[in-house]
Amino acid sequence: QAQFVESGGGLAQTGGSLRLSCRASGSTFSNNDMGWYRQAPGKQREFVARLSSSGYPYYDNSVKGRFTISRDNAEKMVYLQMNSLKVEDKGVYYCNTIPNTAFWGQGTQVTVSS
């Protein structure tokens, strides 16, 4: 079964940067599109960014131009570089394949202070 371990979250100030990492295991990583999602307190999990197996990125409008998704197929890693952070970017960030597997990780907490 697929497993995902997210890391790299923390506290940042508005306008700051964080780089999230996700280690995947148990699946054919290189053949899958990978995505980042986030869940703010009291809200449903939402899509943030996607990177196809062939390297094409797609972003939610709320993060376009500020976030960059990348991957290392050899290491089964996917990254999310987050720049120009806003308070509304706070939440727990998760990665998963797209389509999603049922096996969500613990996520990594991102807090942005104004």
Side-chain angles (χ1 to χ4, degrees):
Q1 66 187 38
Q3 290 185 332
F4 307 99
V5 178
E6 301 89 353
S7 62
L11 174 64
Q13 291 188 330
T14 301
S17 299
L18 287 172
R19 187 186 191 226
L20 306 184
S21 300
C22 169
R23 181 174 298 278
S25 62
S27 66
T28 307
F29 179 84
S30 62
N31 292 337
N32 290 324
D33 290 11
M34 292 297 300
W36 280 98
Y37 299 81
R38 66 187 177 193
Q39 186 168 19
K43 295 186 177 182
Q44 290 189 336
R45 187 155 45 206
E46 63 179 12
F47 167 80
V48 174
R50 173 179 186 157
L51 187 61
S52 73
S53 57
S54 55
Y56 287 97
Y58 180 80
Y59 302 95
D60 183 80
N61 285 337
S62 64
V63 306
K64 196 175 296 182
R66 300 187 297 118
F67 290 11
T68 302
I69 187 172
S70 60
R71 65 194 293 166
D72 182 334
N73 287 338
E75 296 296 327
K76 292 190 176 181
M77 297 289 292
V78 61
Y79 304 98
L80 187 68
Q81 177 66 45
M82 307 189 297
N83 298 329
S84 301
L85 282 163
K86 302 178 180 180
V87 172
E88 51 264 41
D89 293 322
K90 70 179 180 181
V92 180
Y93 282 69
Y94 303 88
C95 70
N96 206 320
T97 59
I98 297 176
N100 298 151
T101 73
F103 306 104
W104 294 89
Q106 294 297 309
T108 186
Q109 177 73 51
V110 171
T111 304
V112 183
S113 64
S114 58

